[in-house]
Amino acid sequence: LAAVVAGMTITGSPQTVGVTLKVLATPSLTAGPGSLTFNVATGTTSQPISIGNTGGEPLNWTAALASGSPSFVSLSATSGTNLAGGANTSVNVIVNTTGVAGGSTFTASVTISAIDPLTGKAISGSPVTVTVTINVAAAAMQLSSVGLNYTTTANVNPTAQSITVTNTGGDGLTWQAGAPSQAWLTLGLTSGHVTSQTSSPVSFNVNVAGLTSGTYTATVLITPSVGSAQTVTITLTIS
């Protein structure tokens, strides 16, 4: 810069002013992983989708579930603004399979889109689609024990013992206990319904009336609505 007074250059003139021009890269969207898989029984769980900006200028993003996605799938957030260049954020895919029938597979997808807030136009890398697969475990019966042992003396009924019937899979398991193979054994419960991750206790009651000393064996077949039947063996020793 130069200054002139009456045709003469003044002291300190000219001077140089440095100018730096920084050109920022346009925003660019990244999102992942490309797919999510949920293996669940019941209750609520979530997994994240990472959203990043590998460009220089900020971006605005939106996230949306595809039409027809299961009603028990939701997102923790559906939009964000001014995600700076080099920055990352995330949105959680939330799955709540409480009350959903077990043994089923469901699919959904999430579309991540982004625009340049300066131009309003879609940016590089947009949109990104993440597929979601939800496998709901089938109902499955598990017994706490398949054998009970009683020891007593003649004419003294031993204290009842119990086993628990648990549904370790998805919702909706019913079970039925068959008649004991011996008359001296009775059950406190002969059928029931257990939802996912819950249990039902079944008492096994022994009546030794009319029995002499020795060892006796009885069996009970417990049959679930899903899966294989299991046999419980009861051994009674009278001294």
Side-chain angles (χ1 to χ4, degrees):
L1 298 177
V4 178
V5 178
M8 299 178 63
T9 301
I10 66 175
T11 302
S13 175
Q15 294 189 14
T16 300
V17 178
V19 177
T20 301
L21 175 63
K22 185 177 181 181
V23 179
L24 296 177
T26 58
S28 181
L29 174 71
T30 61
S35 63
L36 297 175
T37 300
F38 292 81
N39 295 308
V40 295
T42 190
T44 301
T45 187
S46 65
Q47 293 186 41
I49 297 174
S50 175
I51 301 171
N53 180 1
T54 58
E57 297 177 348
L59 62 78
N60 294 347
W61 61 269
T62 59
L65 284 164
S67 174
S69 295
S71 59
F72 56 82
V73 180
S74 61
L75 301 176
S76 62
T78 57
S79 64
T81 59
N82 293 317
L83 180 64
N88 292 274
T89 188
S90 64
V91 57
N92 286 330
V93 179
I94 303 168
V95 173
N96 182 359
T97 54
T98 301
V100 177
S104 302
T105 296
F106 302 87
T107 59
S109 64
V110 180
T111 299
I112 311 295
S113 303
I115 63 169
D116 184 335
L118 297 178
T119 65
K121 295 182 179 180
I123 64 172
S124 173
S126 176
V128 176
T129 298
V130 178
T131 60
V132 180
T133 303
I134 305 111
N135 300 311
V136 184
M141 182 181 75
Q142 182 178 81
L143 302 181
S144 60
S145 176
V146 292
L148 296 174
N149 294 295
Y150 294 81
T151 300
T152 189
T153 56
N155 300 316
V156 177
N157 291 333
T159 302
Q161 298 182 44
S162 296
I163 66 169
T164 56
V165 180
T166 301
N167 178 5
T168 60
D171 284 352
L173 174 71
T174 58
W175 61 270
Q176 182 78 38
S181 63
Q182 300 295 329
W184 50 263
L185 179 67
T186 58
L187 304 182
L189 192 65
T190 58
S191 64
H193 176 85
V194 279
T195 58
S196 179
Q197 313 304 306
T198 64
S199 300
S200 177
V202 182
S203 62
F204 287 70
N205 310 295
V206 171
N207 186 345
V208 299
L211 299 179
T212 60
S213 60
T215 299
Y216 301 83
T217 300
T219 58
V220 175
L221 185 67
I222 299 180
T223 304
S225 55
V226 177
S228 301
Q230 298 187 51
T231 299
V232 179
T233 302
I234 295 85
T235 301
L236 168 64
T237 301
I238 302 176
S239 61

